[in-house]
Amino acid sequence: MKFGLVQERKNPPDKRVVFSPQKLKELKATYPTWEFVVETSTVRVFSDETYLEQGIEVVQNLNDCDVLLGVKEIPVDALIPNKKYFFFSHTIKKQPYNQKLLQAILDKNITLFDHETIVNEHNQRLIGFGKYAGIVGAYNGFRAFGIKFELFKLPKAETLTNQAMLVKELKKVVFPPIKVVLTGTGKVGSGAKEILDAIKFKEVSVEDFLHKNYAQPVYTQIDVLDYNQRIDGQVLEKEDFYQHPEAYQSNFGRFTQVADIFMAGHFYDNRAPKILTREMLKDAACKIKVVADISCDVDGPIACTLRASTIADPLYGYDAKTNQEVDVFHPNAVVVMAVDNLPCELPLDASEGFGEMFATHVLPAFTNGDADGILERAKITENGKLTPRFSYLENYAFGSSVKF
């Protein structure tokens, strides 16, 4: 079996890759009957030379490979027919902008495995870049705070080599006794927490966060039942929220009255209530001045996330009175950081971490007959058709246009 790492062709350029040179060297030793090659690239965080130094062949095309591994969407004209592909296709939510991509995958008889659909038997995702989104998002949130109040200047994350460098820069800052509220306990939230812990912000309980004052910077990490409550007043287990989110309303407002920075690392269900509403932001008691929306659901649970921002221009201001975008230094502005491709700012660490996950959870399925069903669950297309698990995409995949 021959695996090929594709050249990332989507713009803006993405420096990430599924496997680092060192990881491919290890995999060659682990799977001596397999071949691994790398398509030449001038963009990738690891140069062609670093792969060659580890004994990995660099090639001009991947036409003779069996399995092709990428990160972002493959442009339609770069798809090689009759191959197996792994990449983030961004099609499983019927994204209009990638309808033609899925149609081309079917037309070209490609077997597509989406990184986002690689899950275990409990439908929990096994690989992804969420942790690195959390790491960079937390750093960017602090950078936004320094800019807004002209307290300190942090370099852009994309100019720093790795997570250790981000932490080093943050440790140079003398933070005032601010309070940070972090939503989410998954990979994104855990990544943000790594940064908060690394720079010695004190973690406190919800009750202490809400009711105590501190002479040092603190944070609290909250889960869904900390910022949602049943409309009928019942107090039930977290599973009830996941099954019946429409029966809940947000009580995040109590955090807005004491927090200075909100770092949003939660997963959001469209049936769930809005988390940070315009009414909360308009309230005179609202203290929040920076929202680092790491999850970045535009028109979603956070009212001030009017649009995604970019690595080049990561910040904008939000005026709750007018519900409009304003300058970051506008007196009414809440500063919003809503970059939707944060892991791209930490490509080296993100690539190394992703490769470890892929090697652990996916590659064994090629040797054990997919005993755990990893590949079968992740497979979106095969033999020019949608697999049963993704049959709900039928109209999207075969229709002339997307309708909602």
PDB file of all heavy atoms in Angstrom, residues 156 164 254 302 338 385 391:
ATOM      1  N   LYS A 156       2.159  38.556  16.811  1.00  0.00           N
ATOM      2  CA  LYS A 156       1.170  37.642  16.274  1.00  0.00           C
ATOM      3  C   LYS A 156       1.636  36.199  16.459  1.00  0.00           C
ATOM      4  O   LYS A 156       2.825  35.897  16.309  1.00  0.00           O
ATOM      5  CB  LYS A 156       0.929  37.915  14.787  1.00  0.00           C
ATOM      6  CG  LYS A 156       0.001  39.098  14.511  1.00  0.00           C
ATOM      7  CD  LYS A 156      -0.399  39.117  13.052  1.00  0.00           C
ATOM      8  CE  LYS A 156      -1.529  40.107  12.802  1.00  0.00           C
ATOM      9  NZ  LYS A 156      -2.001  40.032  11.400  1.00  0.00           N
ATOM     10  N   ALA A 164       5.476  26.669  22.960  1.00  0.00           N
ATOM     11  CA  ALA A 164       6.411  27.134  23.987  1.00  0.00           C
ATOM     12  C   ALA A 164       6.749  28.608  23.807  1.00  0.00           C
ATOM     13  O   ALA A 164       6.888  29.353  24.787  1.00  0.00           O
ATOM     14  CB  ALA A 164       7.681  26.291  23.957  1.00  0.00           C
ATOM     15  N   ARG A 254     -24.830  35.978  34.153  1.00  0.00           N
ATOM     16  CA  ARG A 254     -24.184  36.158  35.463  1.00  0.00           C
ATOM     17  C   ARG A 254     -22.664  36.207  35.332  1.00  0.00           C
ATOM     18  O   ARG A 254     -21.984  36.861  36.138  1.00  0.00           O
ATOM     19  CB  ARG A 254     -24.621  35.054  36.430  1.00  0.00           C
ATOM     20  CG  ARG A 254     -24.324  33.642  35.951  1.00  0.00           C
ATOM     21  CD  ARG A 254     -25.054  32.610  36.807  1.00  0.00           C
ATOM     22  NE  ARG A 254     -24.684  31.254  36.413  1.00  0.00           N
ATOM     23  CZ  ARG A 254     -24.466  30.263  37.262  1.00  0.00           C
ATOM     24  NH1 ARG A 254     -24.553  30.479  38.568  1.00  0.00           N
ATOM     25  NH2 ARG A 254     -24.152  29.057  36.830  1.00  0.00           N
ATOM     26  N   ILE A 302     -23.096  33.423  19.953  1.00  0.00           N
ATOM     27  CA  ILE A 302     -22.463  34.612  20.521  1.00  0.00           C
ATOM     28  C   ILE A 302     -22.805  35.814  19.658  1.00  0.00           C
ATOM     29  O   ILE A 302     -22.367  35.921  18.507  1.00  0.00           O
ATOM     30  CB  ILE A 302     -20.938  34.408  20.621  1.00  0.00           C
ATOM     31  CG1 ILE A 302     -20.656  33.226  21.540  1.00  0.00           C
ATOM     32  CG2 ILE A 302     -20.255  35.662  21.131  1.00  0.00           C
ATOM     33  CD1 ILE A 302     -19.217  32.830  21.626  1.00  0.00           C
ATOM     34  N   ALA A 338     -12.325  36.334  16.108  1.00  0.00           N
ATOM     35  CA  ALA A 338     -13.117  35.217  15.590  1.00  0.00           C
ATOM     36  C   ALA A 338     -12.448  34.604  14.362  1.00  0.00           C
ATOM     37  O   ALA A 338     -13.079  34.357  13.339  1.00  0.00           O
ATOM     38  CB  ALA A 338     -14.534  35.678  15.251  1.00  0.00           C
ATOM     39  N   LYS A 385     -21.008   6.601  -5.164  1.00  0.00           N
ATOM     40  CA  LYS A 385     -22.248   6.763  -4.407  1.00  0.00           C
ATOM     41  C   LYS A 385     -21.947   7.221  -2.989  1.00  0.00           C
ATOM     42  O   LYS A 385     -20.832   7.052  -2.485  1.00  0.00           O
ATOM     43  CB  LYS A 385     -23.010   5.428  -4.352  1.00  0.00           C
ATOM     44  CG  LYS A 385     -23.439   4.881  -5.707  1.00  0.00           C
ATOM     45  CD  LYS A 385     -24.143   3.543  -5.531  1.00  0.00           C
ATOM     46  CE  LYS A 385     -24.561   2.968  -6.883  1.00  0.00           C
ATOM     47  NZ  LYS A 385     -25.223   1.648  -6.742  1.00  0.00           N
ATOM     48  N   SER A 391     -26.265   9.175   3.532  1.00  0.00           N
ATOM     49  CA  SER A 391     -27.307   9.254   2.512  1.00  0.00           C
ATOM     50  C   SER A 391     -28.128  10.529   2.627  1.00  0.00           C
ATOM     51  O   SER A 391     -28.768  10.951   1.665  1.00  0.00           O
ATOM     52  CB  SER A 391     -28.231   8.032   2.602  1.00  0.00           C
ATOM     53  OG  SER A 391     -28.847   7.968   3.884  1.00  0.00           O
TER      54      SER A 391
END
